[in-house]
Amino acid sequence: MRSYFQVKATKEQVEYTNKIVEYSIEHHTVHNIWDKSKYRKNNTSFYRFVGSLGEVVFADVYGIPRHAKSFGASDGQDYGNDFEIEIDGKKSVVDLKSMHRKNDTFYGYYVLNIPSVQLHKTKSLTEMYYCISINVKNGEYYVSFLGTMSKQDILDGKIGILYKKGTKRIRGNNTYFTFIDDTYEIDFKDFKPPMISDRMKKMNGFKLIEIK
């Protein structure tokens, strides 16, 4: 078992996120990676909120400038360069992967899914992926920083498994879903633990939690 950390989004962070997402929905009607799913396409506002809240809180936690616009601005393409932070003593280009979950209990066999096309884009600048999870309790948003993984390690087959389009996968509750694109699955147990500084420990609602 290993630890990750969690903070609670402030009211100001949530309001800022709502503001940039509303602007994005109104002015930037670009293609989303989830548009192939009718259900997900109808929930574009929610998915953009989750992604943007993750970016806002991430920026504040690492003490770097926030994005002025929600993702999807202009042509919606950032080439996988969400942020640049220091990881293992090296400045790395990070593609932030924000997911929504119903709770903040995590097991090592839980997975992060990344569409294969994102890793193989010729113009991609991504060096590391950083996974965070957002859940809601009593109207409050809790953001869990779960860890990082190297894009090259995924491509080299050191971590993750590639599943082809059309593959059926069974969830923990015995329901299943079908991949609509070639997709890599990376186990939470293969994430590198997030770096934790004294500054982070002072963030709103900071606490350590273990991946089981």
Side-chain angles (χ1 to χ4, degrees), residues 18-29:
N18 278 321
K19 180 180 177 181
I20 62 174
V21 168
E22 288 172 5
Y23 186 90
S24 170
I25 296 297
E26 182 178 353
H27 297 280
H28 304 124
T29 55

Side-chain angles (χ1 to χ4, degrees), residues 23 41 56 58-59 70 76 82 84 94 99 110-111 149 159 169 183 210:
Y23 186 90
K41 186 174 183 179
V56 169
F58 186 92
S70 172
D82 288 330
E84 291 187 34
V94 171
M99 64 174 71
Y110 284 8
V111 298
M149 65 229 73
I159 59 173
R169 298 288 288 139
T183 303
E210 288 186 333

Side-chain angles (χ1 to χ4, degrees), residues 2 22 24 35-36 63 80 94 104 128-129 143 146 173 176 188 197 207 212:
R2 65 169 181 76
E22 288 172 5
S24 170
D35 285 348
K36 291 182 181 180
V94 171
D104 56 5
M128 302 289 291
Y129 293 100
V143 185
L146 301 175
N173 61 4
Y176 75 88
F188 283 14
S197 66
K207 66 176 180 179
K212 299 180 180 181

Side-chain angles (χ1 to χ4, degrees), residues 7-203:
V7 298
K8 183 168 70 172
T10 65
K11 181 179 179 181
E12 186 277 331
Q13 288 170 330
V14 173
E15 290 176 346
Y16 181 89
T17 300
N18 278 321
K19 180 180 177 181
I20 62 174
V21 168
E22 288 172 5
Y23 186 90
S24 170
I25 296 297
E26 182 178 353
H27 297 280
H28 304 124
T29 55
V30 298
H31 173 74
N32 301 288
I33 62 171
W34 55 78
D35 285 348
K36 291 182 181 180
S37 166
K38 183 177 181 181
Y39 168 78
R40 291 183 176 181
K41 186 174 183 179
N42 291 338
N43 287 275
T44 288
S45 180
F46 173 73
Y47 286 116
R48 286 199 184 182
F49 175 82
V50 169
S52 295
L53 180 62
E55 291 181 349
V56 169
V57 176
F58 186 92
D60 290 354
V61 164
Y62 278 92
I64 52 183
R66 292 178 179 178
H67 292 170
K69 295 180 180 178
S70 172
F71 69 96
S74 64
D75 65 353
Q77 180 57 261
D78 60 11
Y79 300 108
N81 182 2
D82 288 330
F83 297 99
E84 291 187 34
I85 62 172
E86 189 171 295
I87 299 176
D88 295 333
K90 175 189 174 185
K91 201 82 167 180
S92 297
V93 175
V94 171
D95 187 356
L96 186 64
K97 297 300 182 184
S98 301
M99 64 174 71
H100 170 257
R101 300 189 73 94
K102 294 181 179 179
N103 57 57
D104 56 5
T105 299
F106 301 99
Y107 292 87
Y109 59 83
Y110 284 8
V111 298
L112 169 67
N113 292 326
I114 306 177
S116 174
V117 66
Q118 293 187 11
L119 286 92
H120 293 280
K121 284 183 177 178
T122 56
K123 294 183 179 181
S124 173
L125 301 173
T126 303
E127 295 173 307
M128 302 289 291
Y129 293 100
Y130 199 129
C131 180
I132 66 175
S133 176
I134 298 174
N135 68 292
V136 186
K137 290 185 288 187
N138 301 318
E140 302 277 7
Y141 292 89
Y142 293 83
V143 185
S144 301
F145 288 66
L146 301 175
T148 64
M149 65 229 73
S150 163
K151 173 184 171 182
Q152 195 59 51
D153 283 351
I154 300 172
L155 292 173
D156 290 344
K158 294 180 180 179
I159 59 173
I161 299 175
L162 175 62
Y163 290 96
K164 292 297 184 177
K165 175 182 178 180
T167 302
K168 288 186 176 181
R169 298 288 288 139
I170 306 297
R171 298 186 180 94
N173 61 4
N174 290 322
T175 61
Y176 75 88
F177 66 95
T178 302
F179 283 121
I180 59 177
D181 290 299
D182 293 355
T183 303
Y184 286 93
E185 276 192 0
I186 300 95
D187 288 347
F188 283 14
K189 64 179 174 58
D190 291 327
F191 295 174
K192 294 182 179 179
M195 179 274 291
I196 301 173
S197 66
D198 290 337
R199 180 182 184 281
M200 293 173 180
K201 294 177 182 179
K202 298 176 183 178
M203 300 299 292

